[in-house]
Amino acid sequence: MSVTNLNIKSDAAAKPSASIVTLSRAAPPSAGFRMPGFVKTLADNVLPPIITLAFLLVAWEFLCSSPTSSLPAPSRVLEESWALIVDPFYVGQGTDQGMFWHIFASLQRVAVGYALAAIAGIALGTLIGQSDLAMRGLDPIFQVLRTVPPLAWLPLSLAAFRDGNPSAIFVIFITAVWPVIINTAVGIRNIPQDYQNVSKVLRLNGYEYFTKIMLPAAAPYIFTGLRIGIGLSWLAIVAAEMLIGGVGIGFFIWDAWNSSLISDIIVALVYVGIVGFLLDRVIALIANAVTRGNVKA
Amino acid sequence: MSKSYLSLEFIDKSFERNGVRSDVLTQVSLGVEKGEFISIIGHSGCGKSTLLNIVAGLTKATTGVVFLDGQVVDAPGPDRGVVFQNHSLLPWLTVYENVSLAVDKVFSRTKSKAERHDWVMRNLDLVQMGHAKDKRPSEVSGGMKQRVGIARALAMEPKVLLLDEPFGALDALTRAHLQDQVMQIHAELGNTVMMITHDVDEAVLLSDRIVMMTNGPAARIGEVLDVPIARPRRRIELATDPTYIRCRSAVLKFLYERHRLVEAA
Ligand SMILES: Nc1ncnc2c1ncn2[C@@H]1O[C@H](COP(=O)(O)OP(=O)(O)OP(=O)(O)O)[C@@H](O)[C@H]1O
Ligand SMILES: [Mg+2]
């Protein structure tokens, strides 16, 4: 994952794409008959996961079908949590809200904490990427701090902020900031000498160098950090909200557990998974759009 | 003593790494006149790029001074346009933007926006790359990238153009084509050019003088050869030109008899 030691500076260190693993597809076998292009792509990409999903649901249904089973089967989940599933926009009293509102509340916290982490992470990463002194001073501290589990920060931030919401936001921040810092710094340390020479010949000033050379050159690395950061944020928010309470998907899960509503938990987990996936895709799409063409020429 | 337009005086360069000193260049002195085309030839690793970087201001000489047009060179600047050994275009910018980055910076005060645009296009057209202005470096061939690199350097209107093996990575046909283009540009604009090359034919074809470097470590200028062939030069006619043949064999003799590359020196 994001375990990148800055002291090991080599061309091979932290290739932008190395950190996020997607299984690549093997070349498709040449089809004996022809389908229209997009229908075929659709079938190739959508059918396999649907079949897998159906298979898993059937297996699950079968395994949990006994009336004494400790976990509900899919059919029972549908039955017990039907109201929750069909009305995500339900508005009730206090924490009695539809799924949409819980997810929305969690996303708001993530948005604030993550945005702060992105800004601070790129700034600090630039600093330690640029300056050897800053790196010698900060890198050892960062390497220690980043191993502290996100939730371990929560009591401290509750003590500091005396309120759940800013504490949760702080936990998001502190979770997401390390991979952004480290990847940005590695990206900036890996800017080829050639590009620096170009900027010297043109006598670019600090601001021009930052916007025209440094950011674009380090962008693939920065986005790797941002992508790892968003995943960690989403992991952390669920855990943090379990502890701070209020509206939010984490507390919803905890509350359902306390009320022994296991079916509701399962519905919530499906939401958590899908939203987490979408967040990752969004950052990946932005990364693709921004770093388009930013391949080694 | 009147100084040359570009004047290198007693340049020494040594690198120090882990307390070990290695001398790369010793006592390199050279004068280049305005409008002159100079080639530097020598075996790989003898310090040609180092010498060029010192003139560019990207590397500091250990001792010695470089003067350009009466001024001491002590930092890189747009009055010395460099075409790097590996083109060094910024991959996230288009061909046009790569050149306009330089033009906008150098002429920010002296040219209007429209003039700068025309100037970028003029220089791209000069190397026949106007048609590909919206392509990214990764979308054009190696020869085209090198041409854009040349356009970028020319567009700065440098006092001296520094070319570091500009055609080194190209196939023979593309290389010949670009050599002709560079000759034509030199004839048109009268730039002062300092070019590094490995290629004996290229050196003789393009240069007014050829500077031959001895092998490293501690390379020096071994010999400077005048190439008294009238311009414009045409490569086909030159093949049988006695002066051309004499120059060519002089360089070959220097490189392969007197200063053979000593392996693992
Ligand atoms: N920054 C540096 N630190 C230490 N040694 C260096 C440095 N730059 C170059 N050298 C050494 O200086 C010598 C000359 O290098 P240079 O790149 O100038 O050679 P060159 O003649 O351009 O070779 P080529 O034809 O292969 O490009 C080499 O032995 C190289 O190892
Ligand atoms: Mg070189």
Side-chain angles (χ1 to χ4, degrees):
Chain A
M1 215 174 52
S2 65
V3 187
T4 318
N5 194 333
L6 280 178
N7 294 317
I8 304 168
K9 190 213 161 185
S10 80
D11 290 10
K15 276 276 178 291
S17 60
S19 305
I20 290 172
V21 181
T22 10
L23 296 177
S24 60
R25 295 182 178 83
S30 52
F33 64 100
R34 292 204 164 273
M35 279 190 278
F38 83 99
V39 177
K40 182 162 159 39
T41 340
L42 205 68
D44 280 352
N45 290 309
V46 175
L47 269 185
I50 287 184
I51 292 168
T52 317
L53 189 65
F55 177 78
L56 287 175
L57 285 172
V58 169
W60 174 14
E61 180 75 43
F62 176 73
L63 286 172
C64 298
S65 60
S66 109
T68 57
S69 158
S70 56
L71 292 176
S75 56
R76 243 177 75 203
V77 171
L78 281 181
E79 194 183 308
E80 289 178 2
S81 303
W82 187 246
L84 196 65
I85 296 167
V86 292
D87 193 4
F89 301 104
Y90 169 77
V91 179
Q93 295 294 312
T95 59
D96 178 25
Q97 308 291 339
M99 289 307 292
F100 173 82
W101 302 112
H102 286 290
I103 295 281
F104 185 66
S106 300
L107 281 177
Q108 276 180 319
R109 296 190 182 105
V110 167
V112 177
Y114 180 73
L116 292 174
I119 294 164
I122 292 173
L124 280 169
T126 304
L127 180 68
I128 64 175
Q130 268 296 82
S131 145
D132 278 335
L133 186 67
M135 189 184 99
R136 280 200 299 273
L138 292 173
D139 188 52
I141 297 171
F142 287 172
Q143 295 294 347
V144 171
L145 287 183
R146 75 182 179 84
T147 64
V148 175
L151 276 195
W153 293 100
L154 189 60
L156 196 65
S157 53
L158 277 171
F161 295 112
R162 296 165 192 283
D163 186 12
N165 214 32
S167 305
I169 290 171
F170 176 76
V171 168
I172 300 306
F173 170 83
I174 206 78
T175 307
V177 78
W178 308 119
V180 181
I181 292 177
I182 290 167
N183 282 280
T184 304
V186 170
I188 282 169
R189 293 204 156 248
N190 278 319
I191 294 177
Q193 185 66 42
D194 294 331
Y195 301 167
Q196 299 176 33
N197 285 346
V198 169
S199 93
K200 281 184 198 158
V201 168
L202 294 180
R203 297 221 178 110
L204 298 186
N205 61 35
Y207 172 75
E208 289 165 332
Y209 179 67
F210 181 71
T211 54
K212 302 214 160 118
I213 310 270
M214 209 148 76
L215 277 188
Y221 292 86
I222 294 174
F223 274 105
T224 300
L226 288 175
R227 222 175 135 186
I228 295 169
I230 196 74
L232 294 179
S233 298
W234 193 238
L235 294 182
I237 189 68
V238 174
E241 284 176 346
M242 285 188 175
L243 299 175
I244 63 163
V247 177
I249 193 67
F251 183 68
F252 176 87
I253 292 173
W254 190 244
D255 198 35
W257 159 247
N258 284 328
S259 323
S260 303
L261 297 172
I262 308 299
S263 295
D264 284 7
I265 296 180
I266 290 170
V267 174
L269 292 191
V270 170
Y271 270 95
V272 170
I274 290 173
V275 171
F277 172 76
L278 290 180
L279 286 177
D280 184 64
R281 295 311 308 157
V282 166
I283 302 293
L285 282 179
I286 296 174
N288 269 341
V290 172
T291 60
R292 163 189 52 102
N294 191 356
V295 281
K296 254 217 157 347
Chain B
M1 170 188 124
S2 80
K3 262 195 216 322
S4 300
Y5 188 61
L6 170 67
S7 170
L8 285 65
E9 298 183 0
F10 307 105
I11 304 281
D12 278 2
K13 178 69 193 175
S14 52
F15 288 104
E16 208 166 301
R17 193 173 273 171
N18 306 326
V20 183
R21 219 178 86 126
S22 58
D23 295 320
V24 175
L25 297 170
T26 46
Q27 296 293 300
V28 174
S29 294
L30 178 67
V32 183
E33 298 311 324
K34 195 166 181 174
E36 209 180 1
F37 197 123
I38 292 272
S39 286
I40 297 177
I41 197 164
H43 288 291
S44 185
C46 72
K48 305 183 295 297
S49 293
T50 307
L51 185 62
L52 193 91
N53 283 339
I54 289 171
V55 177
L58 292 166
T59 307
K60 285 227 182 316
T62 311
T63 57
V65 201
V66 177
F67 290 96
L68 173 59
D69 200 8
Q71 308 275 318
V72 175
V73 164
D74 56 0
D79 57 341
R80 279 146 292 137
V82 189
V83 177
F84 295 96
Q85 203 159 353
N86 52 349
H87 72 76
S88 302
L89 299 180
L90 303 175
W92 52 87
L93 299 181
T94 61
V95 161
Y96 178 91
E97 290 164 340
N98 264 290
V99 179
S100 73
L101 177 69
V103 170
D104 288 346
K105 181 68 192 168
V106 176
F107 299 107
S108 60
R109 271 188 263 283
T110 48
K111 281 192 201 308
S112 74
K113 210 168 165 216
E115 283 172 332
R116 293 201 296 260
H117 167 79
D118 290 345
W119 184 239
V120 172
M121 290 315 295
R122 262 271 290 291
N123 282 280
L124 282 176
D125 289 337
L126 199 59
V127 294
Q128 291 162 22
M129 283 299 293
H131 63 93
K133 70 183 178 66
D134 294 322
K135 293 224 164 82
R136 281 173 200 276
S138 55
E139 297 165 340
V140 301
S141 72
M144 290 169 145
K145 281 194 270 251
Q146 213 48 270
R147 269 147 58 182
V148 179
I150 293 170
R152 176 173 65 184
L154 285 174
M156 298 189 274
E157 284 198 319
K159 289 178 176 164
V160 48
L161 192 60
L162 304 171
L163 308 171
D164 191 350
E165 289 183 43
F167 316 126
L170 305 176
D171 64 276
L173 280 177
T174 314
R175 176 189 278 247
H177 180 64
L178 284 191
Q179 287 164 352
D180 290 344
Q181 271 186 354
V182 164
M183 264 198 292
Q184 204 177 339
I185 289 168
H186 179 240
E188 241 170 78
L189 307 179
N191 328 66
T192 310
V193 186
M194 189 165 156
M195 179 181 78
I196 290 175
T197 180
H198 271 140
D199 183 330
V200 178
D201 290 298
E202 180 172 290
V204 180
L205 177 67
L206 294 176
S207 327
D208 297 313
R209 280 189 297 155
I210 301 174
V211 175
M212 294 174 258
M213 308 231 349
T214 65
N215 288 331
R220 351 168 239 99
I221 292 180
E223 208 174 289
V224 179
L225 179 76
D226 267 310
V227 185
I229 304 176
R231 293 175 188 272
R233 300 172 179 172
R234 269 177 269 279
R235 65 178 66 240
I236 311 214
E237 292 161 18
L238 284 185
T240 52
D241 183 307
T243 320
Y244 179 86
I245 293 167
R246 177 179 60 76
C247 292
R248 194 173 177 280
S249 60
V251 177
L252 283 173
K253 251 204 184 78
F254 178 91
L255 286 179
Y256 298 104
E257 278 178 15
R258 290 166 46 201
H259 295 278
R260 245 191 317 258
L261 183 61
V262 189
E263 287 302 333

